Amino acid sequence: MATRTPFEVISHTRKVCSLYKRMTRNLQAYYHDRAQFRYQAVLLRATFDKHKDEKDMIKATKLVQKGEDHLYSLLHYAPIKFPNSPGGVAYDRNVIIPDEAVDFWDPVEKAFYPKYFALREQRKKEFVELWQKKYGKVDPKEYEHHH
């Protein structure tokens, strides 16, 4: 598994693609009408295509920096953020329901899945047996004494 270093070298191509994508998303925030947005996106793409064959890396790097500055000057006050992306309203809101919640189901609900609950009870019994085999049985008197 490759790990990312904090000072990763990013290729010029990736910088250009990232800039183009961020500029397009910024246009989306400004133009809610699909036709207007597409027109602006085509103009943006034409600007990028005009310089795509630039061989001089110094000039190409300056163009990217100029584009970054241009984007910064035109950033929308409320950029579009997808709900599950960083900064979105649902980012990192994964509710993990504990397994014990199934134990509190109503018997009528459990009756819909008889095989599942029969196997579940069997697995719970096996787990308790393994735990007792490894750690020994719990003395109820000792437990009451500590709590």
Side-chain angles (χ1 to χ4, degrees), residues 4-16:
R4 291 182 65 172
T5 59
F7 302 105
E8 182 180 351
V9 177
I10 300 171
S11 71
H12 177 75
T13 306
R14 264 182 62 192
K15 287 179 186 177
V16 172

Side-chain angles (χ1 to χ4, degrees), residues 59-70:
K59 189 174 178 185
T61 304
K62 286 181 181 176
L63 283 168
V64 170
Q65 187 56 50
K66 186 179 171 186
E68 291 282 354
D69 295 341
H70 183 68

Side-chain angles (χ1 to χ4, degrees), residues 19-42 44 71 74-83 85:
L19 176 62
Y20 176 72
K21 186 172 184 177
R22 288 180 289 135
M23 288 181 106
T24 306
R25 290 285 181 221
N26 194 48
L27 284 175
Q28 238 180 341
Y30 277 107
Y31 299 99
H32 299 290
D33 178 49
R34 180 86 175 150
Q36 289 178 341
F37 163 68
R38 287 305 308 147
Y39 177 72
Q40 294 299 324
V42 168
L44 177 66
L71 172 63
L74 295 176
L75 278 178
H76 194 271
Y77 66 92
I80 293 175
K81 292 183 180 169
F82 295 104
S85 297

